[in-house]
Amino acid sequence: MKAELRKKILQEMKALSQEQKQAMDRTLTERFLHHPFYQEAKTIATYLSFPHEFQTQELIEQALKDGKKVLIPKTYPQRRMEFVVYDPQQLAKTSFGLLEPQGDLEVVEPSQIDLIHVPGLAFTTEGYRIGYGGGYYDRYLEHFAGHTMSTIYPCQVQGFNLEDHDIPVQEVLIYEGNL
């Protein structure tokens, strides 16, 4: 069930034109930057996007300009994840084809993070999500007390059955304009 939903949404996301994506990304980035969670945060964690996802680069650059500490995930075996200080000089491609931090990294404790920008494929309107199946974020968010927010396209809003370990994102920003 989840596998089929993941596949369907990935196809829909990949079917969006560059123009549509750029328009949605711009609007969602603006909404994110104006959100109180962002404005009050000193340290924010985000992710480096796949081409089909909401593009985080502009958000990262703006957060750095705003004087915020920006973190990105570093994953380890046993589905463990930490957030480390973003440094473009320390990025290398992983087997997934994603850029990931390498080398001597500055890990930041969960208690020091104000806001986590959470990726995912499918979201309910209540903020429950289906990710890529690794379970990294569910495990991390279980013990995270700060704010969480996601930025998604309309095709990512879905109904699905929840599981006990699912942890909702507090705020889901859905693109609502016309394309």
Side-chain angles (χ1 to χ4, degrees):
M1 170 67 208
K2 272 190 180 177
E4 283 167 32
L5 189 57
R6 280 193 184 101
K7 204 167 128 189
K8 171 181 167 274
I9 292 169
L10 266 172
Q11 282 171 338
E12 289 184 25
M13 289 170 79
K14 287 177 177 173
L16 294 166
S17 73
Q18 258 334 93
E19 293 74 28
Q20 287 175 314
K21 273 187 62 32
Q22 282 167 354
M24 291 196 286
D25 287 351
R26 247 195 318 273
T27 303
L28 288 169
T29 300
E30 280 301 299
R31 286 183 57 201
F32 189 96
L33 295 172
H34 287 103
H35 195 285
F37 286 180
Y38 171 82
Q39 302 207 320
E40 291 158 16
K42 290 183 177 58
T43 302
I44 70 163
T46 186
Y47 54 95
L48 301 172
S49 330
F50 283 114
H52 61 269
E53 290 180 308
F54 168 81
Q55 295 300 297
T56 55
Q57 196 52 46
E58 201 180 307
L59 200 144
I60 291 172
E61 287 165 15
Q62 189 56 53
L64 292 170
K65 280 186 201 140
D66 291 341
K68 297 187 188 290
K69 189 177 216 174
V70 177
L71 314 177
I72 54 172
K74 167 77 180 156
T75 56
Y76 300 93
Q78 278 83 50
R79 300 185 172 190
R80 195 168 69 77
M81 174 174 86
E82 292 180 324
F83 283 103
V84 302
V85 174
Y86 171 74
D87 177 353
Q89 304 306 307
Q90 288 184 315
L91 300 178
K93 267 209 159 84
T94 65
S95 54
F96 286 118
L98 263 187
L99 288 172
E100 199 173 73
Q102 306 292 335
D104 189 14
L105 305 170
E106 187 189 332
V107 175
V108 176
E109 289 306 306
S111 61
Q112 302 301 304
I113 303 172
D114 301 310
L115 171 62
I116 298 179
H117 181 218
V118 183
L121 281 171
F123 290 79
T124 66
T125 46
E126 294 80 44
Y128 286 95
R129 56 183 276 285
I130 292 179
Y132 290 89
Y136 292 98
Y137 277 86
D138 283 326
R139 278 191 188 75
Y140 196 93
L141 295 175
E142 213 178 327
H143 307 291
F144 178 67
H147 289 303
T148 52
M149 192 152 65
S150 296
T151 42
I152 66 169
Y153 304 143
C155 64
Q156 293 176 266
V157 180
Q158 300 285 334
F160 49 84
N161 295 331
L162 304 180
E163 292 175 15
D164 293 344
H165 59 259
D166 289 343
I167 298 197
V169 175
Q170 291 172 328
E171 191 81 49
V172 181
L173 303 179
I174 304 163
Y175 179 80
E176 287 162 349
N178 297 319
L179 289 177

